[in-house]
Amino acid sequence: MEKITSFTINHLKLLSGVYVSRVDHYGDAAVTTYDLRMTAPNREPVMNTAELHTIEHLGATFLRNDPEFQDRIVYFGPMGCRTGCYMLIAGEYSSREILPLVIRMFKFIRDFEGDVPGAAPKDCGNYLDQNLGMAKYLAKRYLAVLENITADRLVYPD
């Protein structure tokens, strides 16, 4: 069986950043998958499910309410390896072009106060697995990368 593209990225060189993982075409429509890598794989601790679950709830809520992109959001959710999230958007945008949206989203997560949207038994299949404090901490940590991003954190390493 052929190895899928995401398993061909050298994770030993991958840094936290924003990467175009792939662009899929469906007729005339394109969907871009972004790798929002929050931690350095195999070198930093992975995120626990509770904080990653909270990031998912807050990030998806933010994106689907963003005035500029809400109608183009296809998906936002965690990577199985727990080192970041995938964001799928209808259209083709570079990592640099999408960076302002990602920064706005993680500022929203960092600054969020109150009840986590969808964290109720009728709304979520594992509503108790949430950690807002750690989600805010991780968002702040990722923003330090995003707000001072360098070119090597916008394109996958060789």
Side-chain angles (χ1 to χ4, degrees):
M1 205 176 287
E2 192 173 322
K3 191 185 277 191
I4 64 171
T5 305
S6 61
F7 296 151
T8 65
I9 305 305
N10 186 343
H11 286 69
L12 298 174
K13 291 183 177 181
L14 191 57
L15 301 171
S16 57
V18 177
Y19 304 94
V20 171
S21 177
R22 60 185 291 151
V23 179
D24 294 294
H25 295 275
Y26 306 94
D28 293 339
V31 174
T32 305
T33 300
Y34 299 91
D35 173 337
L36 307 184
R37 193 64 61 151
M38 298 176 67
T39 66
N42 304 307
R43 297 180 306 285
E44 294 180 320
V46 299
M47 294 178 278
N48 292 313
T49 60
E51 49 261 31
L52 195 51
H53 192 197
T54 302
I55 289 167
E56 176 193 16
H57 277 237
L58 293 173
T61 299
F62 172 84
L63 290 168
R64 291 193 174 104
N65 285 281
D66 183 76
E68 184 180 354
F69 283 93
Q70 65 185 359
D71 295 332
R72 291 178 258 178
I73 300 302
V74 176
Y75 173 78
F76 176 77
M79 295 176 179
C81 62
R82 296 184 288 141
T83 61
C85 295
Y86 285 118
M87 178 176 70
L88 282 69
I89 297 181
E92 290 188 62
Y93 306 92
S94 70
S95 296
R96 186 156 306 277
E97 288 172 316
I98 213 69
L99 186 61
L101 174 66
V102 177
I103 289 172
R104 289 195 313 271
M105 175 174 47
F106 279 90
K107 283 183 176 179
F108 173 80
I109 295 167
R110 178 198 64 197
D111 299 338
F112 187 83
E113 297 292 334
D115 295 333
V116 175
K122 66 179 180 58
D123 301 332
C124 177
N126 192 10
Y127 77 100
L128 293 174
D129 191 30
Q130 301 280 341
N131 188 336
L132 180 58
M134 262 321 270
K136 291 168 64 117
Y137 168 80
L138 291 166
K140 180 180 177 181
R141 186 174 177 273
Y142 189 42
L143 279 165
V145 171
L146 298 176
E147 291 176 328
N148 300 290
I149 203 147
T150 54
D152 61 331
R153 293 175 185 251
L154 293 168
V155 178
Y156 279 137
D158 293 327

